[in-house]
């Protein structure tokens, strides 16, 4: 039987059959001969040729095969829509209109004949014979399947008789329930009267179990018989397999011996060196890790030590570094599981400590004695605090400093008042308790000294604040500059890395092509990046990261932390050198905004000082104290305040308007009072003025002399002479004599006081200009009322307004007109260009004064005109010569000349007498025409000529009128 099985036509891998020599072609073109099918399909073994073609539950469970088809061919060919069966199945898909047509042969396809299959037939004929031989030997598949199916159904029927409990995979008689189910105790009961029946039941149970056993054995035998061929085939292949295994075992043994020799000779030493090197590196890493753990363990004591010396920045840097090390290199170490949270709490505590420390520093810095020392208090401490606050993003620390500035400003004023009051014996502090009331009891010198002291303290205070804030801003700008440098460095590194990547790719390409770098790049042409990268690549891979000597160096302890935290040295304006770390997580926008807030804080300091000063002034001005100051006192006060305002603007760089506004308000009140006092004084002077020429004291002459070259300046105080200078009769102004009244002299002094006040208080220039214009207009109008309007008759009690009064008034007006351009230039130099329109007031005043002077001249002419009209209307041409009328006229003309000659300049006197002479000729001509006296050389003509010659002689005999051209020929009617 074994021999029959050994000659089985089933192909073997080691078979010598000629039909299976060409293994590759056979697997490609022909399917292998099938073995007998199993009841249970074979499991896949990785060789697709050894699998059975029938569907497998393991392989084909999820894959669709032809066995899943449920439609037969007749059902596919039958079309129920057709009335009769069509032989052509194409009509099912293409419709009833399908018509067979002859297909035109393609030009692209060759004509296939039987000769094309000749070679294929030659190759397939021997294989077909083999197939037929195998087909005759093997049982037909259909017969085998039917037999197998019948046998399988019979076996299933027999197996169904066996209870299911015996088929369970967990069947075990040790289980009581299973045992009771198989052998029920009811069959083994030994009760009386039932012994025979129980014995029969037991025998029946035994036979049943035996029957079950037979059924199982028969099925097992049947299954073994079905697989007998495969079993005997495996037995025959076992000998060959054993030979293969023996040869393979010998080859493996020989190979192992050779590998062992190679390992011992070539690899063992090198691997031992590498292993020892790796062990050493691991030991070094373990040592560094332990050393790092020891360092981290000392973090909290070190932080406490740094905090004791106010090294907040160092403490924060240490905490940040420790946290980074814990997260990166010591993560997962059980002993440090609570250290991270402890460091976070410690960091929060440092935040509170820094804020409290900064508040204390601000208080100590601002409340130290206000002396001339304006240096920054403990600059290193301040810089350290600011760096720490910036590192922790506490950007509102400047608000603490601002609050301290407000409190300090209040304390400065309070302390100055207390110190000043304690030095004044007249003030009883026990009776007057409030500081404001005590301050109001001071006189002006005492209060002025107090204000001066306050301003000096505020100036030192602002200088200190500026120095401190400049230091803080310098720290902010240092951090901002560091951020900018870091960005530039990152950009440079990115560019360099891009260049190095390009060089690395080139080097890799050259290496791949089998070239040397020195062959591709000439000497000196290799870039620095490539050289560095090449040198790094050429470094021996077995090189040690840290030598035994470098284990103790700090750079071998932690690489990640040291590589991320770089520091750079920077120097503040005060000379303090600081190390700025790169972990300042502040944007440029935040830093610039903080710098602006700090600068604004300096402006606020100036505003605070000005506001407190304003409150101090208002507290003193409640009882009208400032309004009662005289001009000198107010000018002194104004200069002090202006100086303080300019000092604060110079220190802080911005104008503060509160104190300037208070000064302007007080200046306006001062201007109103100043103007009202002088206008009232001028009104009283005019009301008491008798319009007589006054003597000019020497001080007024000096006052006038001080106004030289069109500039108004206060007169220099001359040393007191042993003999007092006598008053002068006239006021000499630029070589001209001015006869004036006492009111005008005082008016000139008042005008100069206005101008001097503008010099002392520039902020009241416009107000003073308006008030001075009003004063000049008032003088013009009031003098016109008193002289031309004859108001002095009732006010002063003059009997009449004489020509001398009129001439003196005209000369006084001319003196004022002389000074108006000088006054205008004085104010113009102190006005803004946009305020020049206010100077038109002086133009209007000048015009009004000229009109007034012209009216006085016309009044003098009118007086003589009325006299001529009265005297010449009674004139008769008769002897004696000169007539009484002409004698009287000459007498009145002499009185007029006497009255005005000393008051008016010679030119004005001549012009006035020319106008009077013209009036005289007009009246004389009219009277001669009335008397019918003509220039015919007759006796009447001779008499008139004698009288006119008398008049001419007398008039030209007057002082200053000798060259006057009287042109008396105009008295005669011209002949037509």
């Amino acid at each position: 039987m074994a021999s029959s099985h050994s000659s089985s036509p089933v192909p073997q891998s080691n078979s010598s059959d000629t039909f299976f020599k060409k293994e590759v072609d056979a697997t490609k073109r022909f399917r292998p001969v099938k073995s007998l099918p199993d009841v249970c399909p074979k499991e896949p073994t990785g060789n697709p040729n050894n699998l059975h073609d029938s569907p497998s539950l393991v392989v084909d469970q999820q894959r669709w095969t032809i066995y899943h088809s449920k439609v037969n061919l007749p059902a596919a060919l039958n079309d129920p829509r057709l009335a009769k069966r069509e032989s052509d199945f194409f009509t099912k898909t293409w419709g009833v209109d399908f018509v067979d047509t002859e297909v035109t042969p393609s030009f692209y396809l060759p004509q296939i004949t039987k000769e094309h299959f000749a070679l294929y037939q030659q190759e397939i004929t021997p294989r077909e014979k083999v197939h037929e031989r195998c087909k005759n030997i093997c049982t037909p598949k259909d017969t085998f399947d039917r037999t197998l199916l019948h046998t399988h159904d019979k076996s299933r029927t027999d197996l169904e008789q066996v209870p299911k409990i015996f088929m369970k995979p967990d069947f075990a008689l040790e289980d009581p329930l299973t045992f009771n189910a198989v052998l029920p105790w009811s069959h083994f009961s030994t009760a009386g009267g039932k012994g025979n029946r129980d014995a029969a039941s037991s025998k029946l149970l035994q036979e049943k179990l035996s029957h079950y056993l037979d059924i199982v054995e028969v099925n097992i035998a049947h299954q073994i018989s079905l697989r007998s061929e495969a079993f005997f085939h495996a037995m025959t292949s076992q000998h060959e397999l054993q030979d293969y295994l023996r040869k393979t075992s010998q080859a493996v043994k020989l190979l192992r011996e050779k590998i062992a020799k190679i390992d011992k000779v070539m690899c063992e030493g090198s691997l031992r060196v590498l292993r020892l090197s790796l062990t050493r590196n691991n030991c070094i890493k373990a040592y560094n890790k332990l050393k790092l753990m020891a360092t981290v363990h000392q973090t909290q004591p070190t932080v406490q030590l740094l905090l004791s010396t106010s090294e907040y920045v160092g403490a924060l840097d240490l905490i940040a570094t420790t946290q980074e090390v814990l997260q990166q290199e010591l993560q997962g170490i059980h002993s440090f599981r609570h250290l991270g949270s402890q460091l976070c709490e410690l960091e929060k505590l440092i935040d509170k400590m820094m804020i409290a420390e900064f508040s204390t520093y601000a208080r100590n810095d601002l409340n130290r004695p206000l002396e001339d020392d304006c240096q920054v208090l403990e600059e290193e401490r301040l810089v350290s605090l600011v760096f720490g606050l910036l590192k922790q993003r506490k950007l509102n620390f400047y608000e603490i400093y601002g609050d301290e500035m407000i409190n300090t400003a209040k304390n400065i004023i309070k302390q100055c008042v207390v110190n000043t009051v304690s030095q004044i014996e007249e003030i009883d502090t026990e009776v007057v308790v409030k500081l404001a009331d005590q301050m109001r009891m001071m006189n002006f010198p005492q209060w002025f000294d107090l204000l001066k002291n306050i301003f000096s303290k505020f100036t030192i205070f602002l200088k200190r604040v500026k120095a401190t804030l400049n230091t803080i801003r310098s720290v902010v700008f240092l951090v901002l500059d560091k951020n900018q440098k870091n960005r530039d460095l990152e950009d440079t590194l990115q560019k360099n890395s891009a260049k190095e990547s390009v060089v690395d790719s080139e080097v890799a390409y050259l290496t791949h092509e089998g070239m040397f770098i020195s062959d591709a790049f000439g000497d000196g042409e290799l870039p620095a990046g490539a050289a560095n990268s090449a040198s790094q690549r050429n470094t021996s891979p077995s090189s040690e990261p840290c030598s035994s000597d470098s284990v103790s160096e700090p750079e071998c302890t932690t690489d990640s932390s040291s590589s991320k935290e770089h520091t750079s040295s920077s120097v503040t304006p005060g000379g303090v050198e600081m190390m700025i770390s790169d972990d300042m997580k502040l944007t440029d926008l935040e830093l610039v905004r903080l710098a602006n807030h700090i600068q604004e804080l300096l402006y606020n300091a100036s505003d605070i000082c000005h506001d407190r000063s304003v409150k101090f002034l208002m507290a003193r001005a409640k009882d009208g104290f400032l309004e009662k100051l005289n001009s000198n006192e107010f000018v002194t006060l104004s200069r002090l305040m202006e100086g303080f305002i300019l000092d604060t603007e110079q220190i802080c760089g911005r104008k503060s308007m509160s104190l300037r506004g208070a000064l302007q308000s007080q200046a306006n009140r001062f201007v109103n009072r100043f103007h009202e006092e002088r206008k009232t004084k001028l009104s009283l002077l005019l009301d008491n003025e008798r319009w007589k020429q006054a003597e000019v004291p020497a001080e007024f002459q000096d006052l006038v002399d001080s106004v030289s070259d069109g500039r108004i300046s206060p007169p220099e105080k001359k040393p007191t002479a042993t003999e007092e200078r006598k008053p002068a009769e006239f006021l000499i102004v630029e070589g001209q004599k001015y006869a004036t009244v006492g009111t005008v002299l005082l008016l000139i002094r008042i005008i100069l006081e206005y101008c001097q006040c503008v010099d002392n208080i520039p902020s009241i220039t416009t107000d003073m200009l308006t008030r001075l214009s009003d004063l000049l207009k008032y003088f013009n109008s009031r003098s016109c009322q008193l002289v031309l309007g004859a108001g002095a008759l009732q006010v002063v009690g003059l009997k009449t307004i004489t020509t001398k009064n009129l001439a003196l008034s005209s000369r006084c007006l001319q003196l004022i007109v002389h000074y108006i351009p000088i006054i205008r230039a004085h104010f113009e130099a102190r006005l803004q260009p946009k305020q020049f329109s206010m100077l038109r007031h002086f133009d209007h005043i000048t015009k009004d004064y000229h009109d007034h002077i012209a009216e006085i001249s016309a009044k003098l002419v009118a007086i003589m005109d009325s006299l001529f009209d009265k005297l010449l209307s009674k004139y008769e041409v008769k002897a004696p010569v000169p007539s009484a009328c002409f004698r009287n006229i000459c007498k009145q003309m002499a009185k007029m000349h006497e009255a005005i000659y000393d008051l008016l300049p010679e030119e004005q006197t001549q012009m006035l007498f020319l106008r009077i002479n013209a009036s005289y000729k007009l009246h004389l001509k009219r009277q001669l025409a009335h008397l019918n006296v003509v220039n015919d050389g007759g006796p009447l003509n001779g008499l008139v000529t004698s009288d006119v010659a008398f008049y001419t002689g007398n008039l030209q005999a007057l002082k200053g009128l000798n060259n006057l051209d009287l042109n008396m020929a105009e008295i005669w009617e011209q002949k037509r």
Side-chain angles (χ1 to χ4, degrees):
M1 186 174 180
S3 62
S4 62
H5 282 286
S6 63
S7 62
S8 175
V10 178
Q12 303 295 328
S13 60
N14 58 352
S15 177
S16 62
D17 193 350
T18 57
F19 298 106
F20 299 95
K21 293 291 183 179
K22 196 174 183 180
E23 295 181 358
V24 176
D25 296 338
T27 56
K28 288 184 179 179
R29 299 182 181 180
F30 303 104
R31 298 175 63 185
V33 179
K34 312 297 188 300
S35 63
L36 293 176
D38 292 336
V39 175
C40 296
K42 297 179 181 179
E43 295 298 327
T45 60
N47 187 2
N49 296 326
N50 295 331
L51 297 177
H52 198 273
D53 285 347
S54 61
S56 175
L57 295 175
V58 178
V59 179
D60 299 333
Q61 183 177 4
Q62 302 297 333
R63 182 170 60 87
W64 190 93
T65 63
I66 60 174
Y67 300 99
H68 289 81
S69 177
K70 297 296 188 295
V71 181
N72 53 11
L73 185 59
L77 296 177
N78 289 334
D79 189 354
R81 295 176 296 178
L82 299 177
K84 59 180 179 177
R85 184 180 300 276
E86 296 290 345
S87 61
D88 191 357
F89 66 91
F90 291 106
T91 59
K92 178 175 178 60
T93 303
W94 293 351
V96 296
D97 298 331
F98 175 77
V99 179
D100 291 335
T101 58
E102 182 179 358
V103 179
T104 305
S106 175
F107 297 102
Y108 302 100
L109 298 177
Q111 294 293 332
I112 305 299
T113 61
K114 291 183 178 181
E115 286 75 9
H116 289 84
F117 298 96
L119 180 62
Y120 174 73
Q121 289 178 351
Q122 293 175 4
E123 293 179 357
I124 205 63
T125 299
R127 295 190 179 100
E128 185 180 4
K129 293 178 180 180
V130 174
H131 175 69
E132 291 296 335
R133 187 189 305 170
C134 293
K135 183 177 180 182
N136 294 329
I137 295 174
C138 296
T139 305
K141 184 175 182 181
D142 295 340
T143 305
F144 178 79
D145 290 342
R146 284 195 298 270
T147 304
L148 181 63
L149 181 62
H150 176 71
T151 306
H152 180 69
D153 292 341
K154 183 178 179 181
S155 299
R156 177 177 293 180
T157 303
D158 294 339
L159 288 174
E160 287 178 355
Q161 297 178 8
V162 181
K164 300 296 183 181
I165 190 172
F166 293 103
M167 303 301 178
K168 291 183 178 180
D170 57 346
F171 176 80
L173 287 175
E174 292 83 358
D175 188 7
L177 296 178
T178 305
F179 186 84
N180 291 331
V182 174
L183 299 174
W185 287 103
S186 60
H187 295 279
F188 301 99
S189 175
T190 58
K194 298 181 181 180
N196 296 328
R197 189 175 60 181
D198 293 339
S201 300
S202 300
K203 186 176 181 179
L204 180 61
L205 177 62
Q206 184 177 3
E207 292 178 355
K208 186 184 296 186
L209 293 175
S210 299
H211 177 66
Y212 293 158
L213 178 61
D214 294 338
I215 291 173
V216 172
E217 288 178 350
V218 169
N219 281 276
I220 291 174
H222 177 68
Q223 294 294 331
I224 291 174
S225 65
L226 293 177
R227 290 170 173 77
S228 61
E229 183 179 356
F231 174 75
F232 288 113
H233 176 69
M235 292 298 294
T236 56
S237 303
Q238 182 70 23
H239 299 289
E240 297 178 2
L241 181 62
Q242 288 179 353
D243 292 338
Y244 286 145
L245 290 176
R246 185 173 57 257
K247 293 179 181 179
T248 303
S249 176
Q250 293 176 355
V252 169
K253 183 177 180 181
L254 180 62
L255 180 62
R256 285 183 174 178
E257 290 176 356
K258 291 181 179 180
I259 291 175
K261 292 179 180 179
I262 292 173
D263 180 41
K264 185 175 182 181
V265 173
M266 298 182 65
C267 300
E268 185 175 354
S270 300
L271 290 176
R272 185 170 179 272
V273 171
L274 293 177
R275 192 179 300 110
L276 291 176
S277 176
L278 181 61
T279 303
R280 181 178 180 277
N281 291 337
N282 290 336
C283 292
I284 291 174
K285 291 180 180 179
Y287 172 76
N288 291 336
K289 190 73 69 174
L290 291 174
K291 187 176 181 181
L292 182 61
M293 291 175 62
T295 304
V296 170
H297 184 66
Q298 295 296 323
T299 297
Q300 287 180 317
T302 307
V303 169
Q304 296 293 340
L305 181 61
L306 291 173
L307 292 179
S308 64
T309 58
S310 300
E311 289 290 338
Y312 299 105
V313 178
L316 292 172
D317 289 338
L318 180 59
I319 291 174
T321 304
T322 304
Q323 288 178 338
E324 186 176 359
V325 171
L326 288 175
Q327 293 175 0
Q328 295 182 359
E329 302 185 18
L330 300 180
Q331 188 175 10
I333 295 181
H334 187 72
S335 60
F336 289 153
R337 64 186 184 278
H338 300 304
L339 183 59
S341 59
Q342 293 174 357
L343 292 177
C344 291
E345 294 297 327
L346 190 59
E347 190 173 0
K348 294 179 181 178
L349 177 62
I350 292 176
D351 292 347
K352 296 180 181 179
M353 291 178 63
M354 284 193 300
I355 293 175
E357 184 75 12
F358 184 79
S359 179
T360 304
Y361 174 84
R363 192 178 303 110
N364 295 336
D365 178 48
L366 296 175
N367 292 326
R368 55 181 168 153
L370 292 170
E371 299 174 354
D372 294 336
D373 182 17
C374 298
Q375 299 295 326
V376 179
L377 179 65
E378 299 179 11
E379 185 174 359
E380 294 183 359
R381 176 186 174 192
L382 174 62
V383 172
S384 176
L385 283 172
V386 174
F387 270 118
L389 292 170
L390 292 179
K391 186 179 181 65
Q392 296 303 104
R393 298 182 62 85
K394 302 296 181 182
L395 303 182
N396 58 344
F397 64 91
Y398 63 90
E399 297 177 357
I400 300 174
Y401 200 83
D403 296 337
E404 290 297 332
M405 287 193 310
I406 296 175
N407 296 330
T408 304
K410 293 179 181 179
N411 294 333
I412 287 175
I413 293 182
K414 183 177 179 181
Q415 190 63 36
C416 289
V417 173
V418 170
N419 294 338
T420 304
V421 169
S422 62
Q423 297 175 0
I424 300 175
E425 298 178 355
E426 292 81 2
I427 300 177
D428 190 355
T429 56
E430 295 180 358
V431 178
V432 183
V433 180
K434 294 183 179 180
L435 286 177
D437 297 335
Q438 296 174 0
M439 179 188 63
R440 294 189 187 97
M441 296 180 65
M442 300 179 185
N443 54 30
F444 178 77
Q446 295 172 344
W447 181 81
F448 182 80
D449 293 338
L450 173 60
L451 181 63
K452 187 176 181 180
N453 186 26
I454 291 174
F455 284 166
S456 64
K457 299 293 185 183
F458 274 155
T459 303
I460 299 174
F461 168 74
L462 289 177
K463 290 180 179 179
R464 287 184 178 178
V465 170
K466 182 179 180 180
T468 302
L469 294 181
N470 284 343
T471 302
I472 297 175
R473 289 183 78 236
S474 65
V475 173
V476 175
F477 284 132
L478 286 176
V479 177
L480 183 61
D481 184 63
K482 180 62 178 177
N483 289 348
Q484 183 65 35
K485 290 181 179 178
N486 289 339
R487 283 197 301 272
D488 296 341
L489 182 60
E490 290 176 0
D491 295 340
T492 304
L493 292 177
Q494 289 178 358
K495 294 179 181 178
N496 293 338
S497 63
K499 294 179 180 178
E500 289 179 2
S501 64
V502 174
V503 174
D504 289 341
S505 63
E506 294 176 356
V507 172
Y509 173 75
L510 295 174
T511 306
H512 177 71
E513 293 295 328
M515 299 174 63
F516 292 101
I517 297 177
S518 59
D519 297 335
F521 296 97
D523 294 339
E525 294 179 358
L526 184 63
N532 294 334
S533 60
S535 62
Q536 291 174 3
R537 285 192 295 269
N538 294 332
T539 304
S540 175
S542 62
S543 61
E544 300 170 359
C546 293
S547 62
S548 59
D549 297 335
S550 63
V551 170
S552 60
E553 295 180 3
E555 58 266 22
C556 293
T557 58
T558 169
D559 296 331
S560 62
S561 61
S562 63
S563 64
K564 288 188 177 180
E565 289 192 6
H566 303 286
T567 58
S568 62
S569 178
S570 299
V571 181
T572 62
V576 179
E577 184 175 357
M578 290 298 298
M579 302 299 293
I580 306 176
S581 60
D582 291 345
D583 58 347
M584 291 285 185
K585 306 301 181 182
L586 294 174
T587 62
D588 292 351
L589 181 61
E590 291 174 333
L591 292 172
V592 171
R593 188 182 294 116
L594 178 60
N596 293 336
H597 285 319
I598 295 172
Q599 184 63 34
E600 191 67 27
L601 193 62
L602 179 60
Y603 301 152
N604 293 339
S606 176
D607 295 338
I608 289 170
C609 294
H610 282 227
D611 293 340
R612 302 310 304 179
S613 300
V614 169
K615 290 184 178 180
F616 179 78
L617 288 174
M618 294 300 102
R620 189 64 182 93
K622 281 186 177 180
D623 54 354
F625 172 76
L626 298 180
E627 297 179 5
K628 298 176 183 178
L629 298 179
N630 57 40
S631 60
N632 293 330
E633 292 175 343
F634 188 83
V635 167
T636 304
L637 175 62
S638 175
R639 287 180 176 176
L640 177 63
M641 295 174 67
E642 286 285 351
F644 176 69
I645 292 172
L646 293 177
D647 290 341
T648 56
E649 290 178 0
Q650 184 178 3
I651 294 172
C652 301
R654 192 180 72 171
K655 294 183 179 180
S656 296
M657 303 308 298
S658 57
L659 185 59
R660 191 181 297 274
L663 176 60
Q664 186 64 38
S665 177
Q666 293 298 328
N668 291 336
R669 296 179 183 178
F670 169 76
V671 168
N672 291 332
R673 183 181 59 81
F674 181 87
H675 177 65
E676 292 299 329
E677 287 181 355
R678 278 145 184 80
K679 188 175 181 180
T680 302
K681 181 178 180 180
L682 180 61
S683 178
L684 293 175
L685 290 174
L686 288 173
D687 291 341
N688 293 301
E689 182 59 54
R690 303 188 65 85
W691 297 100
K692 292 183 178 180
Q693 183 178 358
E695 293 181 344
V696 180
E699 57 177 335
F700 285 96
Q701 185 63 52
D702 295 339
L703 187 64
V704 170
D705 293 339
S706 65
V707 183
S708 59
D709 298 332
R711 291 180 298 178
I712 299 176
S713 59
E716 297 180 359
K717 293 184 178 180
K718 297 182 180 181
T720 305
T722 55
E723 296 182 0
E724 293 185 359
R725 292 182 296 170
K726 295 181 179 180
E729 186 177 0
F730 296 95
L731 183 66
I732 307 301
V733 179
E734 296 181 1
Q736 293 189 12
K737 294 182 178 180
Y738 285 90
T740 62
V741 296
T743 302
V744 174
L745 294 176
L746 295 176
L747 176 60
I748 292 175
R749 174 186 286 178
I750 292 173
I751 292 173
L752 296 181
E753 288 178 356
Y754 274 82
C755 296
Q756 191 64 38
C757 193
V758 168
D759 289 338
N760 296 329
I761 312 175
S763 60
I764 61 174
T765 302
T766 55
D767 292 335
M768 279 296 185
L769 189 150
T770 305
R771 301 301 192 281
L772 181 57
S773 301
D774 180 67
L775 186 70
L776 294 175
K777 291 178 181 179
Y778 176 76
F779 173 76
N780 185 40
S781 60
R782 186 59 178 163
S783 62
C784 183
Q785 293 174 2
L786 293 174
V787 180
L788 281 178
L793 300 178
Q794 291 81 19
V795 176
V796 185
L798 296 179
K799 295 180 179 180
T800 183
I801 301 298
T802 63
T803 55
K804 193 169 187 177
N805 298 138
L806 291 172
L808 187 59
S809 175
S810 176
R811 194 56 174 164
C812 291
L813 293 174
Q814 292 174 20
L815 178 60
I816 301 300
V817 169
H818 173 78
Y819 281 106
I820 287 179
I822 300 175
I823 299 171
R824 176 193 173 101
H826 183 81
F827 278 91
E828 184 177 4
R830 288 151 184 81
L831 287 176
Q832 299 294 330
K834 61 182 179 180
Q835 298 173 338
F836 285 169
S837 60
M838 299 184 67
L839 297 175
R840 67 180 185 276
H841 293 297
F842 292 111
D843 298 333
H844 297 161
I845 293 171
T846 303
K847 182 178 179 301
D848 293 340
Y849 272 70
H850 282 301
D851 293 343
H852 191 184
I853 294 171
E855 289 178 2
I856 293 176
S857 299
K859 183 65 175 177
L860 292 174
V861 175
I863 291 173
M864 297 304 296
D865 184 77
S866 61
L867 179 64
F868 293 149
D869 183 54
K870 179 181 179 181
L871 294 177
L872 290 177
S873 62
K874 300 178 182 179
Y875 174 63
E876 294 180 357
V877 182
K878 61 179 181 179
V881 177
S883 61
C885 177
F886 273 79
R887 286 196 187 97
N888 198 4
I889 290 174
C890 290
K891 182 179 179 181
Q892 295 299 327
M893 294 286 281
K895 289 182 178 180
M896 170 68 73
H897 180 270
E898 182 182 0
I900 68 174
Y901 181 76
D902 293 334
L903 303 179
L904 299 178
E906 186 174 345
E907 295 81 4
Q908 295 183 19
T909 303
Q910 292 177 358
M911 292 300 300
L912 179 62
F913 273 92
L914 284 176
R915 293 178 60 188
I916 293 174
N917 181 59
S919 175
Y920 164 75
K921 290 189 292 184
L922 180 61
H923 286 283
L924 179 59
K925 182 178 181 181
R926 186 183 302 128
Q927 184 65 22
L928 292 176
H930 176 68
L931 297 176
N932 294 324
V933 178
V934 295
N935 188 15
D936 56 356
L940 294 178
N941 178 262
L943 292 175
V944 171
T945 301
S946 299
D947 288 335
V948 169
F950 175 74
Y951 165 79
T952 303
N954 279 279
L955 187 59
Q956 291 180 346
L958 297 177
K959 191 175 181 180
L961 302 180
N962 51 349
N963 296 323
L964 198 63
D965 185 9
L966 301 179
N967 195 11
M968 298 303 297
E970 295 179 355
I971 62 174
W972 305 106
E973 289 287 346
Q974 299 295 330
K975 295 181 179 180
R976 297 179 183 176

